[in-house]
Amino acid sequence: MSYEFIAITMFAGMMVLLLTGQRVFAVIGFVGVVAAFLLWGEGGSEMGFSSAMKLVKWYPMLTVPMFVFMGYMLSESGIAEDMYKAIHVWMGPINGGLALGTVGLMVIISAMNGLSVAGMAIGATIALPELLRRGYDKVMMTGVVQGGSTLGILLPPSVVLVLYGMIARVPVGQLWLAGLLPGLMMAALMAIYVYVRCRVNPALGPALPLSERNVPFREKVRLLSAGIVPLGIFVLMMWLFLSGIASLVESSAVGAISSALVAWWRGRLSARLWNDVLQKTLGITCMFMWILIASLCFGAVFDGLGAVKSIERFFLGDLGLEPWQVLVLMQLSFLVMGMFLDDTAMLVIVAPLYIPLVQKLGFDLVWYGVLYTITCQIAYITPPFGYNLFMMRAMAPPEIGMRDIYKSIWPFVGIMAASLIIIGVFPEIATWLPNNYYSK
């Protein structure tokens, strides 16, 4: 049996097992360990153990629990509710003001957490019911929450970009800086879309009555501080890391400690809160670690088979495709996989194949990390099986149906697709900031 056929069999077997509903890490690890044992005997069966040892020696892996802890501590301690109250009193006089504020809320939550799940949960449970109660169009606002929540995996401190950096061996600081301008550009495009629609049709997002906006100025300032606190923590972390004063792990620890101190200062740090945050942090971190261990084992077997060279020869030699055509096919495959898998699973399944291939094709791995992340964002919210669509259905108020969810998302899919094309054609949008910063 040729090595190419073995690689195809491994990949096909993994996809079949995933369709059975088994956990992603179990499927990837099982296929990798069994293939290694059948190919190389007892020595190959130790590849799973060596992958675990490699992971626990990755010092940057400590950033994952730190960032997850920071995000959950800030969100669970009620800061998100205060931020939404601030949006209520400051943006209420504008048509569509609460919708615009919700986009800003999604950006701040992204800077707090680095995951899309937190933004989705806060947007669906806190912002969406209030918007519906005040007469905002349910279809448009459902799309705002879904589209805005995906920014969490692109804006720093994105946990997905941390994992991409570990697998691709690319500095995380460069990835964070590369994701900053594209993330803010997408947020701005979403805000422009909401503003224009509400300007043309004010009934989609009516301004709040004066009675609801009549809040003392001192109270307005106090509520505004709720948004300044997480942004302050974010700026502190980035400054410590990018200035070289602290390493990535040390700056993430500063963020985690700062979030706990903020919760204590606001009188919301209780034993129950502490226990809930630690449990959620442990669950998310263990999930990432298991998936990474499995992917390292699977990738080691693929490297040993020479699968990357075979794929490169197939696309460039046998099919005669140009590098850009290969890149487009890779992104389309992410869109298909995103209907069934989350971003981490997609990354670890195809990373052993795609990342070396991208490097062989002559593309910048930092730039490609941004393209990959935006493609994941699109896949998350693309019908019929987008990952975030069903999360929204589970969290949204009962009057939001699947038809509303499907109908709401297309303008934001268009914004993300346009952003992907713009950054693909003009890579400097992603590479200018890290190149200029690190060159100095």
Side-chain angles (χ1 to χ4, degrees):
M1 186 183 292
S2 67
Y3 280 173
E4 289 84 356
F5 187 74
I6 294 173
I8 293 172
T9 303
M10 285 179 61
F11 199 81
M14 179 184 65
M15 297 307 294
V16 170
L17 288 174
L18 284 173
L19 293 175
T20 65
Q22 299 299 319
R23 294 185 181 274
V24 172
F25 76 86
V27 169
I28 301 173
F30 174 77
V31 173
V33 170
V34 170
F37 178 76
L38 294 177
L39 286 167
W40 300 300
E42 292 185 7
S45 65
E46 296 180 1
M47 294 183 73
F49 175 77
S50 63
S51 298
M53 290 299 99
K54 185 184 295 185
L55 179 67
V56 297
K57 291 179 182 178
W58 266 355
Y59 185 59
M61 185 66 196
L62 289 172
T63 60
V64 174
M66 299 293 183
F67 288 135
V68 175
F69 175 90
M70 179 184 72
Y72 276 122
M73 180 60 74
L74 289 173
S75 61
E76 296 291 329
S77 61
I79 290 180
E81 288 92 335
D82 288 348
M83 285 192 292
Y84 192 74
K85 290 177 183 176
I87 292 169
H88 181 92
V89 298
W90 285 95
M91 303 290 289
I94 307 171
N95 283 327
L98 296 185
L100 293 172
T102 301
V103 175
L105 179 66
M106 297 291 104
V107 173
I108 295 173
I109 292 170
S110 299
M112 287 164 51
N113 192 278
L115 295 169
S116 67
V117 178
M120 173 70 78
I122 291 172
T125 58
I126 297 175
L128 193 54
E130 290 293 319
L131 291 163
L132 297 179
R133 191 167 65 85
R134 285 168 173 80
Y136 275 66
D137 182 72
K138 66 178 181 178
V139 172
M140 184 181 72
M141 291 317 306
T142 303
V144 168
V145 172
Q146 290 185 92
S149 67
T150 62
L151 296 172
I153 63 172
L154 183 60
L155 292 168
S158 166
V159 174
V160 173
L161 287 178
V162 172
L163 297 178
Y164 175 87
M166 292 178 183
I167 294 173
R169 303 302 173 94
V170 176
V172 174
Q174 291 188 25
L175 291 169
W176 279 357
L177 291 178
L180 187 58
L181 291 181
L184 293 176
M185 180 186 76
M186 289 174 60
L189 290 175
M190 291 179 189
I192 291 170
Y193 163 75
V194 170
Y195 178 77
V196 170
R197 284 207 64 189
C198 292
R199 185 81 174 179
V200 173
N201 185 2
L204 294 175
L208 295 183
L210 183 61
S211 58
E212 291 194 41
R213 294 184 267 124
N214 191 16
V215 178
F217 183 75
R218 179 177 294 182
E219 178 66 10
K220 286 186 176 182
V221 173
R222 188 193 70 80
L223 290 172
L224 190 63
S225 67
I228 296 174
V229 168
L231 284 178
I233 295 175
F234 167 74
V235 171
L236 175 63
M237 287 192 309
M238 294 295 289
W239 174 72
L240 290 172
F241 175 53
L242 296 176
S243 64
I245 296 175
S247 68
L248 176 62
V249 175
E250 291 166 344
S251 62
S252 67
V254 169
I257 294 171
S258 299
S259 66
L261 290 175
V262 168
W264 170 78
W265 176 65
R266 296 171 67 88
R268 295 175 178 174
L269 185 60
S270 63
R272 182 178 178 181
L273 173 67
W274 189 263
N275 184 61
D276 288 346
V277 169
L278 288 179
Q279 283 189 356
K280 291 178 179 179
T281 301
L282 182 62
I284 295 291
T285 304
C286 289
M287 178 193 72
F288 278 126
M289 291 187 70
W290 275 116
I291 292 177
L292 282 173
I293 290 171
S295 69
L296 289 171
C297 178
F298 189 87
V301 178
F302 253 54
D303 288 342
L305 293 173
V308 176
K309 292 182 179 179
S310 299
I311 292 174
E312 180 186 357
R313 184 172 63 249
F314 174 72
F315 281 122
L316 301 181
D318 298 343
L319 297 182
L321 298 178
E322 295 293 326
W324 269 98
Q325 293 172 313
V326 177
L327 189 69
V328 170
L329 289 176
M330 292 163 63
Q331 301 310 103
L332 290 175
S333 71
F334 275 130
L335 290 177
V336 174
M337 285 189 291
M339 296 179 181
F340 308 98
L341 303 170
D342 63 16
D343 47 21
T344 309
M346 282 192 287
L347 177 61
V348 300
I349 287 172
V350 298
L353 297 175
Y354 283 8
I355 290 176
L357 183 58
V358 167
Q359 205 164 15
K360 288 281 187 180
L361 294 173
F363 295 117
D364 188 334
L365 286 179
V366 173
W367 169 72
Y368 181 72
V370 175
L371 292 186
Y372 153 76
T373 307
I374 296 175
T375 308
C376 286
Q377 291 176 300
I378 298 173
Y380 271 8
I381 58 176
T382 303
F385 303 116
Y387 189 74
N388 275 16
L389 300 176
F390 296 98
M391 287 183 59
M392 170 58 77
R393 183 65 189 90
M395 298 178 183
E399 60 264 37
I400 304 292
M402 283 306 298
R403 184 177 180 181
D404 300 320
I405 293 171
Y406 282 160
K407 187 178 177 181
S408 71
I409 208 58
W410 292 112
F412 297 91
V413 170
I415 289 171
M416 293 178 188
S419 301
L420 182 66
I421 294 171
I422 291 170
I423 295 167
V425 176
F426 303 103
E428 294 81 8
I429 297 174
T431 59
W432 177 81
L433 192 57
N435 288 346
N436 273 271
Y437 180 82
Y438 281 92
S439 66
K440 298 177 182 179

